[in-house]
Amino acid sequence: MLTDTAISPDVTGMSYQQLLERVRYDGAYPTTERAAAAVHRVMSALGRQIGGDERGELARCLPVEAALAFTAQVPDAQPLTGWAFVKDLAARTGATPATARWEAGTVLAAVSRLAGPHITARLVDHLPEGWALLFGLPQLPRPQRHV
């Protein structure tokens, strides 16, 4: 787990307040508080999905508050598909799957902007199917891996 001393606010491309404003605007949330709640829920849920080097790389791209919500969670042994992630988020928050999909897509598109194309591509590549759309990217078929 990363602590707030391991995450430098100077590394991120936007402040936490700017992240909240981006999420509030893109997600059409009526208040910054609602956007902050969405960021916290999605970043906590994302923290259960990403481990390894990608976890640290992403955390360093985020404003401290978002990085702490993300890194406070222990990654699951097997990450969920994008759709299973949305259904899990809905179940944990009491939202409908449509609302959870909107919330996840809004927050993760902002996270994608912060992380940049290289880190976002690595995240999507290491996660099961269905995550690209949540990060605001096209969902391209993955090549078959022959063993």
Side-chain angles (χ1 to χ4, degrees), residues 7 29 36 48 81-82 91 109 114 141:
I7 304 164
Y29 292 103
R48 292 188 290 277
T81 65
L114 282 167

Side-chain angles (χ1 to χ4, degrees), residues 40-97:
H40 183 77
R41 286 190 294 267
V42 173
M43 293 312 299
S44 294
L46 186 63
R48 292 188 290 277
Q49 304 305 308
I50 298 174
D53 293 339
E54 292 78 20
R55 184 178 180 87
E57 286 181 42
L58 179 58
R60 284 187 290 278
C61 296
L62 300 171
V64 173
E65 298 86 343
L68 291 174
F70 171 67
T71 59
Q73 305 302 311
V74 175
D76 293 339
Q78 183 64 38
L80 300 171
T81 65
W83 177 236
F85 173 79
V86 168
K87 290 191 305 186
D88 182 65
L89 182 61
R92 288 176 186 267
T93 62
T96 65

Side-chain angles (χ1 to χ4, degrees), residues 10-58:
D10 298 340
V11 175
T12 65
M14 70 176 69
S15 70
Y16 186 63
Q17 193 61 39
Q18 290 170 319
L19 172 62
L20 295 182
E21 286 303 317
R22 167 60 54 194
V23 169
R24 187 185 68 74
Y25 179 80
D26 290 349
Y29 292 103
T31 65
T32 303
E33 291 76 21
R34 294 271 304 271
V39 167
H40 183 77
R41 286 190 294 267
V42 173
M43 293 312 299
S44 294
L46 186 63
R48 292 188 290 277
Q49 304 305 308
I50 298 174
D53 293 339
E54 292 78 20
R55 184 178 180 87
E57 286 181 42
L58 179 58

